[in-house]
Amino acid sequence: MKEKIYAIELNNITKTFGEVVANKDVCLNVCHGEILAILGENGSGKTTLMNMLSGIYHPDSGEIQINGQPVTINAPKDAIDLKIGMIHQHFKLVDVLSAADNIIMGRHQKSKKTRKSKLPSELSALCESFGFDINLSKKIYEMSVSEKQTVEILKVLYQGADILILDEPTAVLTPQETKKLFAILKNMKQSGAAIVIITHKLGEVMEISDRVTVLRKGESIATVETAETTPKQLTELMVGRPVSLEIERPGVEQEKNMFEVHRLSVKNNDGVYALKDVSFSLNGGEILGVAGVAGSGQKELCETIAGLLPAEKGAVLYHEENILGKTPAEIINLGISMSFIPEDRLGMGLVSSMDITDNMLLKSYKNGKSPFVNHKPARELAQSLVEKLEIVTPSIKTPVRYLSGGNVQKVLLGREIESNPNLLITAYPVRGLDINSSYKIYDLLNEQKKKGVAILFIGEDLDVMLGLCDRVLVLCHGEITGIVDAKTTTKEEIGLLMTGETKTQQEEDAE
Amino acid sequence: MIANGTRTHEPLVRIAKRRERSRAELILLRAAAFLLAIVAGGAFIALLGHSPIEVYAEIFKGAFAGNKRDPLSAVKQTLVFFVPLIVTSLGLSLAFRMKFWNIGGEGQIIMGGIFATIFALYSTDNPGAIPSFILLPLMFVAGALGGGLMALLPAIFKIKFGTNETLFTLMLNYIALYFLKYLVSGPWQRTPGFASIGNFDKSARMWEIGGFHASLLVAAALVIFVHFYIKKSKQGYEISVVGESQPTARYAGMNVGKIILRTMFLSGAICGMVGMIKVSSTYTLTEGITGGVGFTGITVAWLSQFNALGMVLVSLLFAILQKGSSVMQTSLGLSADASNVLQGIILFSFLGTEFFTRYKFVFKKNNSKEKE
């Protein structure tokens, strides 16, 4: 093996941020014509590692070899010169320009003429050879997420990259779009590109990769041939011990239509309809999942119910009382709890500079008549949550911004659950959590469900939603494309609904 | 071959994030910053051709050593600088905690002074009409009201129209100042040809307790009030949450607009009290009423990280510098402006050390992988 020249070879890469060790002695390699998956839970150092390859960070120690040559990558430009192309989770495109303009942007041009005449033909040749199906003159802001991703990939290919790194490329894609992407990646592999795909989804690893390198807590634990492994083995490598992947779905006596949303339309801050004519009902003791590509109106749905966003029309009935127009404080007092875990985790549920105790007070500080805040019950609550949910923190006096993402989420969700809600809205509660913590959260939700609480679960992982929820509602561009029974539906069906095909259309197609 | 062409070298020094420092470390760091400022200031004085030790000793003496007739005279003078500064910074810190950049301390002080002067002038024109024990509290309330209303204006515009409070409050300073100029050389003018409204009646003069102005007690009470208001009260909690994130505050069911209005009123009211303290201690209202504390107070509030007790220390330090260096001019012939330079140096070194609370330098290691 030693004589083989790898496209990328990392030897003992270590990177620390302050006291936090993001990567420790990481070794991995990938050849041309191969797809390597880097698998690891959030916080295991995958993105840091790839950022070092693209010149955003610099390793503290260790060696990077590209095509057999040791290199130092100081800036993204160095990476481009080394033919490394990185596709980030968040696209870096100029909205008002066309796809072609975005692709050629930043390239040295010998004369201004080339821009208009020669490039598009080169580009369309590129598209053809890899099987991209895209209109190059379309403006970015008119594009779907998947099209934008295609532009990003084309951009790095056009820059001459033959080493491609994709950071969680499927997070924003529907199952169908994922299939398309994988077909393209396979084409690229055939033509000799080296591809690294970062992910935490086991199914995708099994489907696309040739080899898998598993990271755990910043260390490269193992590299295995995909053909010789199983999802179960990979999970064990990732978590460090055997885990069960079964999610419990207790059957509960349900209180019918405790909560109803009737023909709700909401405009977002830009004045665009984020929800259109949305109607559904939710029973007590039921978990209703909300699926959809990111940005399909999930956030607006949560915020409208919590009283943070005014509705254009429609009604939100809670025990047959319309709560639209009530203030957030009144809605909280009704026992409606909303916890939205945004991408940056802290978002609006917690105050990052405050400690756990003060965060416990966020919705209850007004209790009592005294002008002073009563810290005692909050301290006790904080202490009991830390013990019950195994929150890792130096003390309850530590500001929450120093806690890791998973622990922050436990603090938020713990507080919401301790407020004994009747309706619990939770968006992305396991976002970025390790497997163990995720299951802890599912247990907490099920516990609430058994108490008869109505739960609206906005999620991203379809496998989880199929296992945990009773019914799944699918949103696409702010409209409900279907509400399906989680016990009988399939991922593919939900995937189709996510792309905007309604149920009736599907039936017609089937005929 | 690709690699050779693009070979780059690792930079010599990089900046890296470090873990959070403990409280003790932070205090040590600040102490080091202070020491650094003293040394740098000393170098500056030496450059001007004076002995730093002599100058520092002179400043200290000037701030504390009184004359034979009244051994406390210098201390009293220092406190005259101290009280307006601490009260102003307390007021401003409330708004700053909410991340509402109230740069309008000057204007709020002026407006407080004007409101208080209305009653003082009435009493001067009608001596004995209002007894002192009613008049002074009345002036105090009027001063607070004047400053509070002045601060409410940018808050209302911020909530309704999203105006920039920094510019708004800054501009209001000038409006207040020119309004004051109009008053003292117009309707309130007492000495023709001079922009002066004359001296207040005795009933409108700040009480003295054992030679010290009673305003010192007001300042002490306000320090305690602001400390507990911020740390323990429900309203203080709301200020912290709004300052951190308005969406979070709304999510928690807080009425963000109301909180901003209330806090800005309070912030302005405390600054307005400074105006009242100033006019009742100098027995008159002049263009120079603020002495610039509306701006110096910003520095003090930031240097003490909006901590009420920290503001006491920093205000005291600034007052000592200011009083001490006024003596320096007569005894050493060193311009009093030198004290402003010293204040600037202190500010610089404190803000400079802030960098080290969050970052560290990483130097290129010798064992870097430079082969060939």
Side-chain angles (χ1 to χ4, degrees), chain A residues 19-38:
Chain A
E19 299 289 290
V20 181
V21 181
N23 287 130
K24 192 177 169 219
D25 292 332
V26 173
C27 301
L28 64 83
N29 52 53
V30 55
C31 314
H32 284 286
E34 184 190 42
I35 299 180
L36 175 78
I38 298 185

Side-chain angles (χ1 to χ4, degrees), chain A residues 15 17-19 58 60 62-63 67 69 71-72 74 78 81-82 308 328-329 332 338-339 347-354 358 361-363 365-368 370-373 375 402 415-416, chain B residues 1-4 6-11 14 16-20 228-229 231-235 237-238 240-241 244-245 247-255 259 360 362 365 369-372:
Chain A
K15 173 77 190 170
F17 295 99
E19 299 289 290
H58 195 274
D60 293 343
E63 185 189 49
N67 299 321
Q69 298 281 341
V71 293
T72 309
N74 277 331
D78 295 348
D81 292 341
L82 289 166
L308 298 169
I332 292 169
M338 194 269 275
S339 61
M348 60 183 180
L350 294 172
V351 183
S352 63
S353 64
M354 291 185 177
D358 277 355
L361 287 162
L362 193 60
K363 284 180 174 174
Y365 72 98
K366 274 197 184 130
N367 295 351
S370 146
F372 294 103
V373 176
H375 282 91
Y402 300 152
R415 182 189 70 206
E416 295 305 315
Chain B
M1 78 184 182
I2 308 155
N4 281 343
T6 56
R7 192 68 181 275
T8 48
H9 293 279
E10 204 180 328
R14 284 182 298 118
K17 268 196 174 162
R18 53 163 300 128
R19 85 183 153 79
E20 299 286 324
F228 282 99
Y229 184 74
K231 299 266 175 200
K232 302 282 178 205
S233 83
K234 291 176 178 174
Q235 298 189 354
Y237 183 80
E238 288 175 336
S240 306
V241 176
E244 181 81 30
S245 150
T248 302
R250 263 189 289 274
Y251 163 84
M254 293 176 187
N255 185 338
I259 294 167
K360 63 179 176 187
V362 178
K365 290 180 192 104
K369 49 256 152 201
E370 298 283 321
K371 283 166 191 170
E372 301 173 71

Side-chain angles (χ1 to χ4, degrees), chain B residues 132-188:
Chain B
S132 180
F133 71 91
I134 295 178
L135 180 63
L136 279 176
L138 206 59
M139 285 168 65
F140 192 75
V141 172
L145 194 69
L149 291 178
M150 192 70 173
L152 218 43
L153 213 57
I156 292 169
F157 274 77
K158 171 96 177 175
I159 292 165
K160 290 272 175 239
F161 308 111
T163 52
N164 178 320
E165 76 272 16
T166 314
L167 283 175
F168 205 116
T169 50
L170 185 68
M171 292 311 181
L172 280 182
N173 289 339
Y174 297 103
I175 293 179
L177 180 64
Y178 287 106
F179 183 55
L180 170 67
K181 284 190 177 182
Y182 160 73
L183 284 178
V184 296
S185 50
W188 284 357

